C-alpha cells in the first residue's frame, strides 16, 4: 500500500472563506478521495492560519478578543467544508497547544544549530501578504495584490539562514527532487532564484503580541509564515524531534495558488533543509479572477462560495469549480456563466439522462431494474488525468460518456420498442453507462454518485426528485 499525503494551505481567519479557498480545498478533496479509492494510505490535511498582524488588527477593529475572533472563523470554515463534503483527516489550527509547542521546539533546534541568528531587518512590509517586499514588487509603494501601502519596518529580529541553500535549491528544482508543477511555475521559480538569489529572512517580530513567542527570546514572536509553514509537519502529529520518523513525510502533493508559490519555493524548502527533512511536491493552481482581477476581500470583488452552494448545491459547486478552467491557469468565473454551465451540463446533461432513464424503466419495465449483468469498463484515462490534476479534462471525458449514452437512446428509441427482451437490453446498457459515469464521478461529486448508485443498484428503480433542478 502506498502512502499519499496531501495538504491545502492553511487559511487566514480574518474574513469569510471565498471561492479561492473553496477551489484549493475541493481540488485536494478530489485527489484525496481518488487515492482512498485506489486503496492508498491517504492523509488529507487542511486548517487555519491564525496568528499575525493582519488578524490581530482585524480582531481589534471588531472589538473582539483575538482568540474568540479566530475561533468564530474556524467554525465558519469547518461549516463550509462540511457543506462541500470535504473529507479531511485533520484540521490543524496554529493556535492549538500542540502546534505552538512544536513550533517552539523547532525554533529552539534551529537556534542551537546556528541556523537562526540575531540581527536587524529593514524592509517594506505588506500586511495583506504578511511579507516583506522588494521595491520592484511594489507599484508606487503599494502592493499590487492588496492595493495597500507597504509599511516600513526596521527592527531588531532573528533571521534564518537561507542564503546557503541557493545552489542546492536550484539544483533540486531542476532535477525534480523538489518538484514544482505545472512546468511553467517550475521555470518561473528557477529564474527567480537565479536572478534574485536567496536572502536570509527575518523570522521574528518584536512589536507583535499575537504570535508564538520565541523560546530563546520571549520579547519576539515567530514570523507568521514560519509558524504557518510548520503546520504541514505538526498536522500529521510530528513532535518536533528531527530524529523521529514521520510516517507520511514528505507530502506527495501540496496544492496552492500561484500567489503563495514563492514562499513555498524559498522559505519552506530552506526551513526543511535546515531541519534535514526531505522536500515535498508542489502543485500550483491559478487564481480565480473576477473582472480581470484576483478576487480579494480588499478589492471587494468576491463571488461567495455560500451563494454558489445555495444555487448549485454541494456537487454543483464542486463541479463548477473543477471544470472552470485548466489546472495551473487563471479562471475567470461569473455567476451568469456558471448558471449556464450548470443548466447545460448538470440539469440537462447528467440530471436529464438519469431522470429519463428512471422514467423509461418505470414506464416500460414496470420499474424493474433491467436484467443484464452490471459490467463497468476498466477506465485508465480518467484516473491518469486526475493524477495529473487535469480535472477539467477528466470531467470532459466523463461527459463524453453522457453524450454517447444520450446518442444511444436517441438511436434505439426505447419508447418505440415492443420487444421486451430488446427493451430490457437497451435500458440495461444505458443503466450500465450511468453506473460507469457515477463510479468515475465518485471523487468529484460524491453525493451524486451515491444517489445514482442507490437508485440503479437496487432491484426496483424508484423515481427520485431531479438531481439538478434547472435554474431559471
Ligand atoms: N495563510 C496563508 C497560507 C499559509 S500556508 C502555510 C494564505 N492564506 S489565504 O487564506 O490567503 O489563501 C490560501 C489559499 O487560497 C491559497 O492557495 C491561495 O492561492 C488561495 N486563494 C486566495 N485567493 C484566491 C483566488 N482569488 N483565487 C484562487 N485561489 C486563491 O495565503
Amino acid at each position: 500500500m502506498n502512502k499519499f499525503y496531501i495538504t491545502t494551505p492553511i487559511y487566514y481567519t480574518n474574513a469569510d472563506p471565498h471561492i479561492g479557498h473553496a477551489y484549493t480545498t475541493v481540488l485536494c478533496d478530489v485527489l484525496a478521495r481518488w487515492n482512498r479509492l485506489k486503496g492508498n494510505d491517504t492523509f488529507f490535511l487542511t486548517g487555519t492560519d491564525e496568528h499575525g498582524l493582519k488578524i490581530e488588527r482585524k480582531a481589534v477593529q471588531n472589538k473582539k478578543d483575538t482568540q474568540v475572533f479566530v475561533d468564530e472563523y474556524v467554525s465558519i470554515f469547518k461549516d463550509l467544508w462540511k457543506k462541500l463534503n470535504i473529507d479531511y483527516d485533520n484540521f490543524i489550527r496554529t493556535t492549538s497547544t500542540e502546534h505552538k509547542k512544536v513550533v517552539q521546539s523547532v525554533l529552539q533546534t534551529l537556534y542551537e544549530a546556528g541556523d537562526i541568528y540575531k540581527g536587524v531587518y529593514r524592509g517594506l512590509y505588506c500586511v495583506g501578504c504578511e511579507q516583506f517586499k522588494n521595491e520592484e514588487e511594489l507599484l508606487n509603494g503599494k502592493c499590487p495584490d492588496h492595493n495597500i501601502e507597504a509599511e516600513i519596518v526596521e527592527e531588531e529580529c532573528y533571521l534564518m539562514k537561507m542564503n546557503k541553500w541557493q545552489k542546492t535549491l536550484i539544483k533540486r528544482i531542476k532535477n525534480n527532487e523538489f518538484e514544482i508543477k505545472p512546468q511553467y511555475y517550475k521555470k518561473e521559480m528557477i529564474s527567480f532564484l537565479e536572478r534574485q538569489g536567496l536572502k536570509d529572512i527575518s523570522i521574528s517580530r518584536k512589536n507583535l503580541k499575537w504570535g508564538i513567542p520565541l523560546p530563546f527570546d520571549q520579547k519576539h514572536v515567530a514570523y507568521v509564515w514560519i509558524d504557518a509553514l510548520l503546520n504541514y509537519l505538526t498536522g500529521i502529529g510530528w513532535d518536533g524531534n528531527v530524529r523521529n520518523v514521520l510516517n507520511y513525510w514528505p507530502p506527495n502533493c501540496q496544492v496552492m495558488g500561484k500567489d503563495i508559490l514563492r514562499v513555498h519555493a524559498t522559505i519552506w524548502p530552506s526551513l526543511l533543509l535546515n531541519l534535514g527533512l526531505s522536500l515535498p511536491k508542489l502543485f500550483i493552481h491559478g487564481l480565480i479572477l473576477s473582472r480581470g482581477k484576483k478576487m480579494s476581500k480588499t478589492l471587494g470583488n468576491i463571488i461567495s462560495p455560500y451563494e454558489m452552494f445555495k444555487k448549485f448545491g454541494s456537487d454543483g459547486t464542486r463541479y463548477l469549480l473543477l471544470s472552470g478552467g485548466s489546472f495551473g491557469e487563471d479562471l475567470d468565473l461569473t455567476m451568469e456563466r456558471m448558471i449556464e454551465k450548470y443548466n447545460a451540463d448538470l440539469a440537462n446533461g447528467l440530471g436529464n439522462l438519469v431522470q429519463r432513464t428512471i422514467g423509461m424503466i418505470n414506464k416500460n419495465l414496470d420499474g424493474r431494474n433491467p436484467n443484464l449483468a452490471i459490467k463497468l469498463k476498466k477506465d485508465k484515462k480518467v484516473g491518469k488525468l486526475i493524477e495529473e490534476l487535469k480535472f477539467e479534462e477528466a470531467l470532459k471525458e466523463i461527459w463524453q460518456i453522457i453524450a454517447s449514452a444520450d446518442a444511444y437512446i436517441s438511436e434505439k428509441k426505447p419508447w418505440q420498442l415492443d420487444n421486451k427482451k430488446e427493451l430490457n437490453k437497451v435500458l440495461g446498457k444505458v443503466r450500465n453507462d450511468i453506473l460507469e459515469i457515477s463510479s468515475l464521478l465518485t471523487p468529484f461529486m460524491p453525493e451524486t454518485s451515491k444517489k445514482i448508485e442507490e437508485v440503479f443498484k437496487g432491484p426496483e428503480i424508484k423515481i427520485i426528485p431531479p438531481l439538478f433542478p434547472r435554474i431559471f
Side-chain angles (χ1 to χ4, degrees), residues 8-12 18-21 23-24 49 54 77 225 228-229 231-232 255-260 264 285-289 294-296:
T8 71
I10 48 174
Y11 305 113
Y12 288 127
H18 57 82
I19 51 171
H21 299 141
Y23 181 57
T24 313
D49 190 353
K54 109 169 135 186
F77 272 98
W225 270 102
L229 287 165
N231 94 85
Y232 301 133
V255 181
M256 69 198 67
K258 65 180 183 188
D259 55 330
I260 57 172
H264 279 83
H285 66 71
L287 297 181
I288 300 180
L289 305 177
K294 172 180 162 182
M295 261 180 225
S296 83

mmCIF file of all heavy atoms in Angstrom, residues 8-12 18-21 23-24 49 54 77 225 228-229 231-232 255-260 264 285-289 294-296, ligand 1:
data_model
loop_
_atom_site.group_PDB
_atom_site.id
_atom_site.type_symbol
_atom_site.label_atom_id
_atom_site.label_comp_id
_atom_site.label_asym_id
_atom_site.label_seq_id
_atom_site.Cartn_x
_atom_site.Cartn_y
_atom_site.Cartn_z
ATOM 1 N N THR A 8 -3.678 21.269 1.891
ATOM 2 C CA THR A 8 -4.075 22.593 1.372
ATOM 3 C C THR A 8 -3.208 23.597 2.135
ATOM 4 O O THR A 8 -2.647 23.244 3.173
ATOM 5 C CB THR A 8 -5.545 22.938 1.687
ATOM 6 O OG1 THR A 8 -5.659 23.196 3.103
ATOM 7 C CG2 THR A 8 -6.495 21.830 1.301
ATOM 8 N N PRO A 9 -3.133 24.828 1.667
ATOM 9 C CA PRO A 9 -2.537 25.848 2.542
ATOM 10 C C PRO A 9 -3.478 26.009 3.727
ATOM 11 O O PRO A 9 -4.627 25.575 3.668
ATOM 12 C CB PRO A 9 -2.551 27.110 1.676
ATOM 13 C CG PRO A 9 -2.914 26.685 0.309
ATOM 14 C CD PRO A 9 -3.653 25.402 0.416
ATOM 15 N N ILE A 10 -3.012 26.630 4.799
ATOM 16 C CA ILE A 10 -3.964 26.900 5.876
ATOM 17 C C ILE A 10 -4.466 28.332 5.691
ATOM 18 O O ILE A 10 -3.726 29.227 5.318
ATOM 19 C CB ILE A 10 -3.348 26.650 7.269
ATOM 20 C CG1 ILE A 10 -1.975 27.307 7.416
ATOM 21 C CG2 ILE A 10 -3.268 25.159 7.532
ATOM 22 C CD1 ILE A 10 -1.414 27.210 8.819
ATOM 23 N N TYR A 11 -5.743 28.512 5.951
ATOM 24 C CA TYR A 11 -6.412 29.763 5.576
ATOM 25 C C TYR A 11 -6.427 30.775 6.706
ATOM 26 O O TYR A 11 -6.596 30.422 7.873
ATOM 27 C CB TYR A 11 -7.841 29.444 5.111
ATOM 28 C CG TYR A 11 -7.828 28.421 3.986
ATOM 29 C CD1 TYR A 11 -8.342 27.140 4.164
ATOM 30 C CD2 TYR A 11 -7.230 28.740 2.761
ATOM 31 C CE1 TYR A 11 -8.283 26.206 3.141
ATOM 32 C CE2 TYR A 11 -7.172 27.807 1.742
ATOM 33 C CZ TYR A 11 -7.694 26.543 1.935
ATOM 34 O OH TYR A 11 -7.621 25.607 0.928
ATOM 35 N N TYR A 12 -6.264 32.034 6.334
ATOM 36 C CA TYR A 12 -6.304 33.109 7.325
ATOM 37 C C TYR A 12 -7.708 33.245 7.894
ATOM 38 O O TYR A 12 -8.692 33.233 7.153
ATOM 39 C CB TYR A 12 -5.927 34.449 6.669
ATOM 40 C CG TYR A 12 -4.471 34.576 6.315
ATOM 41 C CD1 TYR A 12 -4.082 34.928 5.025
ATOM 42 C CD2 TYR A 12 -3.479 34.381 7.275
ATOM 43 C CE1 TYR A 12 -2.734 35.074 4.694
ATOM 44 C CE2 TYR A 12 -2.137 34.525 6.943
ATOM 45 C CZ TYR A 12 -1.767 34.867 5.653
ATOM 46 O OH TYR A 12 -0.452 34.996 5.341
ATOM 47 N N HIS A 18 -13.591 32.544 0.780
ATOM 48 C CA HIS A 18 -14.079 32.884 -0.562
ATOM 49 C C HIS A 18 -13.827 31.726 -1.521
ATOM 50 O O HIS A 18 -13.244 30.711 -1.129
ATOM 51 C CB HIS A 18 -13.495 34.200 -1.067
ATOM 52 C CG HIS A 18 -12.007 34.260 -1.122
ATOM 53 N ND1 HIS A 18 -11.276 33.742 -2.161
ATOM 54 C CD2 HIS A 18 -11.117 34.780 -0.264
ATOM 55 C CE1 HIS A 18 -9.992 33.941 -1.929
ATOM 56 N NE2 HIS A 18 -9.862 34.571 -0.790
ATOM 57 N N ILE A 19 -14.259 31.869 -2.780
ATOM 58 C CA ILE A 19 -14.170 30.686 -3.640
ATOM 59 C C ILE A 19 -12.741 30.270 -3.936
ATOM 60 O O ILE A 19 -12.504 29.118 -4.279
ATOM 61 C CB ILE A 19 -14.969 30.753 -4.965
ATOM 62 C CG1 ILE A 19 -14.682 32.008 -5.740
ATOM 63 C CG2 ILE A 19 -16.412 30.579 -4.738
ATOM 64 C CD1 ILE A 19 -15.327 31.911 -7.112
ATOM 65 N N GLY A 20 -11.784 31.188 -3.794
ATOM 66 C CA GLY A 20 -10.378 30.787 -3.928
ATOM 67 C C GLY A 20 -10.046 29.691 -2.922
ATOM 68 O O GLY A 20 -9.421 28.686 -3.246
ATOM 69 N N HIS A 21 -10.509 29.875 -1.694
ATOM 70 C CA HIS A 21 -10.271 28.861 -0.666
ATOM 71 C C HIS A 21 -10.997 27.561 -1.016
ATOM 72 O O HIS A 21 -10.448 26.471 -0.886
ATOM 73 C CB HIS A 21 -10.780 29.339 0.696
ATOM 74 C CG HIS A 21 -10.099 30.582 1.193
ATOM 75 N ND1 HIS A 21 -10.773 31.577 1.852
ATOM 76 C CD2 HIS A 21 -8.815 30.991 1.114
ATOM 77 C CE1 HIS A 21 -9.922 32.548 2.174
ATOM 78 N NE2 HIS A 21 -8.728 32.212 1.731
ATOM 79 N N TYR A 23 -11.872 26.536 -3.893
ATOM 80 C CA TYR A 23 -11.240 25.938 -5.073
ATOM 81 C C TYR A 23 -10.060 25.057 -4.664
ATOM 82 O O TYR A 23 -10.007 23.870 -4.993
ATOM 83 C CB TYR A 23 -10.786 27.061 -6.013
ATOM 84 C CG TYR A 23 -10.133 26.596 -7.294
ATOM 85 C CD1 TYR A 23 -10.799 25.746 -8.175
ATOM 86 C CD2 TYR A 23 -8.844 27.019 -7.632
ATOM 87 C CE1 TYR A 23 -10.202 25.328 -9.353
ATOM 88 C CE2 TYR A 23 -8.239 26.613 -8.808
ATOM 89 C CZ TYR A 23 -8.919 25.765 -9.671
ATOM 90 O OH TYR A 23 -8.328 25.361 -10.832
ATOM 91 N N THR A 24 -9.103 25.629 -3.915
ATOM 92 C CA THR A 24 -7.941 24.844 -3.468
ATOM 93 C C THR A 24 -8.398 23.591 -2.714
ATOM 94 O O THR A 24 -7.886 22.499 -2.935
ATOM 95 C CB THR A 24 -7.051 25.670 -2.488
ATOM 96 O OG1 THR A 24 -6.831 26.970 -3.017
ATOM 97 C CG2 THR A 24 -5.717 25.008 -2.263
ATOM 98 N N ASP A 49 -4.717 29.426 9.577
ATOM 99 C CA ASP A 49 -3.522 30.209 9.886
ATOM 100 C C ASP A 49 -4.007 31.387 10.734
ATOM 101 O O ASP A 49 -4.643 32.303 10.220
ATOM 102 C CB ASP A 49 -2.948 30.694 8.535
ATOM 103 C CG ASP A 49 -1.587 31.325 8.656
ATOM 104 O OD1 ASP A 49 -1.116 31.520 9.789
ATOM 105 O OD2 ASP A 49 -0.987 31.631 7.602
ATOM 106 N N LYS A 54 -2.216 40.986 10.612
ATOM 107 C CA LYS A 54 -3.488 41.337 9.977
ATOM 108 C C LYS A 54 -4.668 40.785 10.760
ATOM 109 O O LYS A 54 -5.707 41.431 10.860
ATOM 110 C CB LYS A 54 -3.426 40.927 8.512
ATOM 111 C CG LYS A 54 -4.210 39.813 8.018
ATOM 112 C CD LYS A 54 -4.155 39.816 6.507
ATOM 113 C CE LYS A 54 -3.912 38.414 5.971
ATOM 114 N NZ LYS A 54 -3.703 38.368 4.558
ATOM 115 N N PHE A 77 -15.216 28.189 8.645
ATOM 116 C CA PHE A 77 -14.501 27.371 7.654
ATOM 117 C C PHE A 77 -14.957 25.911 7.726
ATOM 118 O O PHE A 77 -15.263 25.294 6.709
ATOM 119 C CB PHE A 77 -12.982 27.451 7.855
ATOM 120 C CG PHE A 77 -12.348 28.601 7.103
ATOM 121 C CD1 PHE A 77 -12.054 29.806 7.726
ATOM 122 C CD2 PHE A 77 -12.052 28.461 5.748
ATOM 123 C CE1 PHE A 77 -11.481 30.860 7.018
ATOM 124 C CE2 PHE A 77 -11.474 29.509 5.033
ATOM 125 C CZ PHE A 77 -11.188 30.715 5.673
ATOM 126 N N TRP A 225 4.617 33.370 8.782
ATOM 127 C CA TRP A 225 4.803 32.354 7.729
ATOM 128 C C TRP A 225 5.593 31.139 8.235
ATOM 129 O O TRP A 225 5.350 30.012 7.805
ATOM 130 C CB TRP A 225 5.478 32.959 6.495
ATOM 131 C CG TRP A 225 4.465 33.488 5.512
ATOM 132 C CD1 TRP A 225 4.103 34.787 5.321
ATOM 133 C CD2 TRP A 225 3.678 32.701 4.597
ATOM 134 N NE1 TRP A 225 3.131 34.868 4.333
ATOM 135 C CE2 TRP A 225 2.860 33.606 3.876
ATOM 136 C CE3 TRP A 225 3.567 31.334 4.318
ATOM 137 C CZ2 TRP A 225 1.961 33.188 2.898
ATOM 138 C CZ3 TRP A 225 2.666 30.919 3.337
ATOM 139 C CH2 TRP A 225 1.874 31.836 2.643
ATOM 140 N N ALA A 228 3.178 29.245 10.216
ATOM 141 C CA ALA A 228 2.176 28.618 9.348
ATOM 142 C C ALA A 228 2.751 27.426 8.577
ATOM 143 O O ALA A 228 2.118 26.370 8.492
ATOM 144 C CB ALA A 228 1.622 29.644 8.369
ATOM 145 N N LEU A 229 3.944 27.593 8.007
ATOM 146 C CA LEU A 229 4.514 26.509 7.192
ATOM 147 C C LEU A 229 4.706 25.233 8.007
ATOM 148 O O LEU A 229 4.538 24.127 7.496
ATOM 149 C CB LEU A 229 5.852 26.949 6.594
ATOM 150 C CG LEU A 229 5.739 27.977 5.458
ATOM 151 C CD1 LEU A 229 7.092 28.637 5.182
ATOM 152 C CD2 LEU A 229 5.200 27.321 4.184
ATOM 153 N N ASN A 231 2.819 23.956 9.956
ATOM 154 C CA ASN A 231 1.576 23.186 10.118
ATOM 155 C C ASN A 231 1.626 21.880 9.349
ATOM 156 O O ASN A 231 1.010 20.894 9.743
ATOM 157 C CB ASN A 231 0.366 24.003 9.655
ATOM 158 C CG ASN A 231 -0.002 23.735 8.199
ATOM 159 O OD1 ASN A 231 -0.719 22.790 7.875
ATOM 160 N ND2 ASN A 231 0.523 24.560 7.295
ATOM 161 N N TYR A 232 2.364 21.892 8.217
ATOM 162 C CA TYR A 232 2.418 20.682 7.394
ATOM 163 C C TYR A 232 3.117 19.544 8.140
ATOM 164 O O TYR A 232 2.979 18.386 7.775
ATOM 165 C CB TYR A 232 3.160 20.968 6.085
ATOM 166 C CG TYR A 232 2.551 22.062 5.230
ATOM 167 C CD1 TYR A 232 3.350 23.074 4.688
ATOM 168 C CD2 TYR A 232 1.191 22.074 4.927
ATOM 169 C CE1 TYR A 232 2.809 24.067 3.873
ATOM 170 C CE2 TYR A 232 0.640 23.057 4.116
ATOM 171 C CZ TYR A 232 1.456 24.058 3.594
ATOM 172 O OH TYR A 232 0.919 25.037 2.789
ATOM 173 N N VAL A 255 -1.025 21.444 -2.604
ATOM 174 C CA VAL A 255 -1.735 22.267 -3.583
ATOM 175 C C VAL A 255 -1.848 23.688 -3.057
ATOM 176 O O VAL A 255 -2.128 23.895 -1.876
ATOM 177 C CB VAL A 255 -3.139 21.702 -3.868
ATOM 178 C CG1 VAL A 255 -3.868 22.540 -4.913
ATOM 179 C CG2 VAL A 255 -3.057 20.257 -4.335
ATOM 180 N N MET A 256 -1.630 24.643 -3.939
ATOM 181 C CA MET A 256 -1.772 26.054 -3.527
ATOM 182 C C MET A 256 -1.867 26.942 -4.755
ATOM 183 O O MET A 256 -1.510 26.524 -5.863
ATOM 184 C CB MET A 256 -0.561 26.488 -2.698
ATOM 185 C CG MET A 256 0.695 26.577 -3.512
ATOM 186 S SD MET A 256 2.181 26.569 -2.513
ATOM 187 C CE MET A 256 2.152 24.938 -1.854
ATOM 188 N N GLY A 257 -2.317 28.173 -4.520
ATOM 189 C CA GLY A 257 -2.400 29.127 -5.609
ATOM 190 C C GLY A 257 -1.039 29.748 -5.899
ATOM 191 O O GLY A 257 -0.153 29.754 -5.043
ATOM 192 N N LYS A 258 -0.899 30.297 -7.092
ATOM 193 C CA LYS A 258 0.399 30.834 -7.501
ATOM 194 C C LYS A 258 0.834 32.023 -6.646
ATOM 195 O O LYS A 258 2.013 32.337 -6.582
ATOM 196 C CB LYS A 258 0.361 31.219 -8.983
ATOM 197 C CG LYS A 258 -0.586 32.346 -9.313
ATOM 198 C CD LYS A 258 -0.536 32.643 -10.806
ATOM 199 C CE LYS A 258 -1.417 33.826 -11.146
ATOM 200 N NZ LYS A 258 -1.546 34.047 -12.586
ATOM 201 N N ASP A 259 -0.124 32.683 -5.993
ATOM 202 C CA ASP A 259 0.232 33.839 -5.160
ATOM 203 C C ASP A 259 1.084 33.458 -3.951
ATOM 204 O O ASP A 259 1.746 34.314 -3.382
ATOM 205 C CB ASP A 259 -1.042 34.580 -4.685
ATOM 206 C CG ASP A 259 -2.029 33.671 -3.969
ATOM 207 O OD1 ASP A 259 -2.080 32.463 -4.291
ATOM 208 O OD2 ASP A 259 -2.740 34.151 -3.086
ATOM 209 N N ILE A 260 1.050 32.178 -3.563
ATOM 210 C CA ILE A 260 1.889 31.805 -2.421
ATOM 211 C C ILE A 260 2.965 30.785 -2.814
ATOM 212 O O ILE A 260 3.563 30.142 -1.965
ATOM 213 C CB ILE A 260 1.048 31.334 -1.209
ATOM 214 C CG1 ILE A 260 0.139 30.157 -1.574
ATOM 215 C CG2 ILE A 260 0.223 32.478 -0.648
ATOM 216 C CD1 ILE A 260 -0.556 29.567 -0.340
ATOM 217 N N HIS A 264 6.529 29.228 -0.712
ATOM 218 C CA HIS A 264 6.642 27.769 -0.618
ATOM 219 C C HIS A 264 7.828 27.206 -1.386
ATOM 220 O O HIS A 264 8.163 26.032 -1.237
ATOM 221 C CB HIS A 264 5.348 27.110 -1.112
ATOM 222 C CG HIS A 264 4.262 27.097 -0.084
ATOM 223 N ND1 HIS A 264 3.441 28.168 0.131
ATOM 224 C CD2 HIS A 264 3.886 26.147 0.813
ATOM 225 C CE1 HIS A 264 2.581 27.863 1.100
ATOM 226 N NE2 HIS A 264 2.835 26.646 1.529
ATOM 227 N N HIS A 285 -1.937 26.082 -8.608
ATOM 228 C CA HIS A 285 -3.088 26.445 -9.453
ATOM 229 C C HIS A 285 -3.142 27.948 -9.684
ATOM 230 O O HIS A 285 -2.492 28.727 -8.989
ATOM 231 C CB HIS A 285 -4.402 25.921 -8.869
ATOM 232 C CG HIS A 285 -4.807 26.531 -7.554
ATOM 233 N ND1 HIS A 285 -5.251 27.831 -7.451
ATOM 234 C CD2 HIS A 285 -4.839 26.015 -6.305
ATOM 235 C CE1 HIS A 285 -5.544 28.084 -6.190
ATOM 236 N NE2 HIS A 285 -5.289 27.001 -5.464
ATOM 237 N N GLY A 286 -3.932 28.320 -10.689
ATOM 238 C CA GLY A 286 -4.081 29.737 -10.998
ATOM 239 C C GLY A 286 -5.079 30.383 -10.051
ATOM 240 O O GLY A 286 -5.634 29.743 -9.161
ATOM 241 N N LEU A 287 -5.305 31.652 -10.255
ATOM 242 C CA LEU A 287 -6.242 32.359 -9.387
ATOM 243 C C LEU A 287 -7.600 32.471 -10.056
ATOM 244 O O LEU A 287 -7.704 32.449 -11.280
ATOM 245 C CB LEU A 287 -5.711 33.756 -9.087
ATOM 246 C CG LEU A 287 -4.389 33.786 -8.324
ATOM 247 C CD1 LEU A 287 -3.967 35.209 -8.062
ATOM 248 C CD2 LEU A 287 -4.506 33.020 -7.009
ATOM 249 N N ILE A 288 -8.614 32.584 -9.220
ATOM 250 C CA ILE A 288 -9.941 32.833 -9.762
ATOM 251 C C ILE A 288 -10.090 34.334 -9.886
ATOM 252 O O ILE A 288 -9.900 35.070 -8.910
ATOM 253 C CB ILE A 288 -11.034 32.245 -8.851
ATOM 254 C CG1 ILE A 288 -10.814 30.736 -8.728
ATOM 255 C CG2 ILE A 288 -12.406 32.568 -9.404
ATOM 256 C CD1 ILE A 288 -11.821 30.036 -7.856
ATOM 257 N N LEU A 289 -10.368 34.760 -11.083
ATOM 258 C CA LEU A 289 -10.445 36.195 -11.318
ATOM 259 C C LEU A 289 -11.886 36.636 -11.419
ATOM 260 O O LEU A 289 -12.783 35.851 -11.728
ATOM 261 C CB LEU A 289 -9.731 36.545 -12.620
ATOM 262 C CG LEU A 289 -8.273 36.090 -12.739
ATOM 263 C CD1 LEU A 289 -7.723 36.449 -14.107
ATOM 264 C CD2 LEU A 289 -7.418 36.714 -11.646
ATOM 265 N N LYS A 294 -7.622 39.515 -9.306
ATOM 266 C CA LYS A 294 -7.689 38.494 -8.265
ATOM 267 C C LYS A 294 -8.835 38.840 -7.311
ATOM 268 O O LYS A 294 -9.002 39.991 -6.945
ATOM 269 C CB LYS A 294 -6.363 38.479 -7.510
ATOM 270 C CG LYS A 294 -6.346 37.598 -6.279
ATOM 271 C CD LYS A 294 -5.007 37.642 -5.587
ATOM 272 C CE LYS A 294 -5.122 37.128 -4.158
ATOM 273 N NZ LYS A 294 -3.871 37.184 -3.419
ATOM 274 N N MET A 295 -9.605 37.820 -6.941
ATOM 275 C CA MET A 295 -10.682 38.095 -6.000
ATOM 276 C C MET A 295 -10.101 38.270 -4.617
ATOM 277 O O MET A 295 -9.379 37.398 -4.138
ATOM 278 C CB MET A 295 -11.607 36.887 -5.939
ATOM 279 C CG MET A 295 -12.812 37.044 -6.767
ATOM 280 S SD MET A 295 -13.787 35.572 -6.581
ATOM 281 C CE MET A 295 -14.156 35.327 -8.281
ATOM 282 N N SER A 296 -10.399 39.339 -3.988
ATOM 283 C CA SER A 296 -9.892 39.501 -2.628
ATOM 284 C C SER A 296 -10.805 40.413 -1.846
ATOM 285 O O SER A 296 -11.520 41.236 -2.411
ATOM 286 C CB SER A 296 -8.472 40.066 -2.645
ATOM 287 O OG SER A 296 -8.526 41.467 -2.775
HETATM 288 N N1 LIG B 1 -2.309 31.653 5.252
HETATM 289 C C1 LIG B 1 -1.662 31.672 4.004
HETATM 290 C C2 LIG B 1 -1.152 30.312 3.630
HETATM 291 C C3 LIG B 1 -0.259 29.652 4.608
HETATM 292 S S1 LIG B 1 0.170 28.042 4.130
HETATM 293 C C4 LIG B 1 1.437 27.620 5.123
HETATM 294 C C5 LIG B 1 -2.631 32.168 2.922
HETATM 295 N N2 LIG B 1 -3.920 32.070 3.220
HETATM 296 S S2 LIG B 1 -5.106 32.585 2.305
HETATM 297 O O1 LIG B 1 -6.275 32.389 3.107
HETATM 298 O O2 LIG B 1 -4.869 33.902 1.874
HETATM 299 O O3 LIG B 1 -5.184 31.763 0.998
HETATM 300 C C6 LIG B 1 -4.850 30.447 0.866
HETATM 301 C C7 LIG B 1 -5.178 29.818 -0.459
HETATM 302 O O4 LIG B 1 -6.282 30.398 -1.126
HETATM 303 C C8 LIG B 1 -4.019 29.888 -1.445
HETATM 304 O O5 LIG B 1 -3.893 28.672 -2.149
HETATM 305 C C9 LIG B 1 -4.428 30.960 -2.372
HETATM 306 O O6 LIG B 1 -3.810 30.825 -3.619
HETATM 307 C C10 LIG B 1 -5.904 30.672 -2.452
HETATM 308 N N3 LIG B 1 -6.564 31.842 -2.961
HETATM 309 C C11 LIG B 1 -6.727 33.032 -2.359
HETATM 310 N N4 LIG B 1 -7.324 33.870 -3.254
HETATM 311 C C12 LIG B 1 -7.509 33.237 -4.416
HETATM 312 C C13 LIG B 1 -8.208 33.499 -5.588
HETATM 313 N N5 LIG B 1 -8.768 34.639 -5.825
HETATM 314 N N6 LIG B 1 -8.312 32.515 -6.495
HETATM 315 C C14 LIG B 1 -7.853 31.248 -6.266
HETATM 316 N N7 LIG B 1 -7.218 30.966 -5.162
HETATM 317 C C15 LIG B 1 -6.810 31.988 -4.325
HETATM 318 O O7 LIG B 1 -2.195 32.590 1.882
#
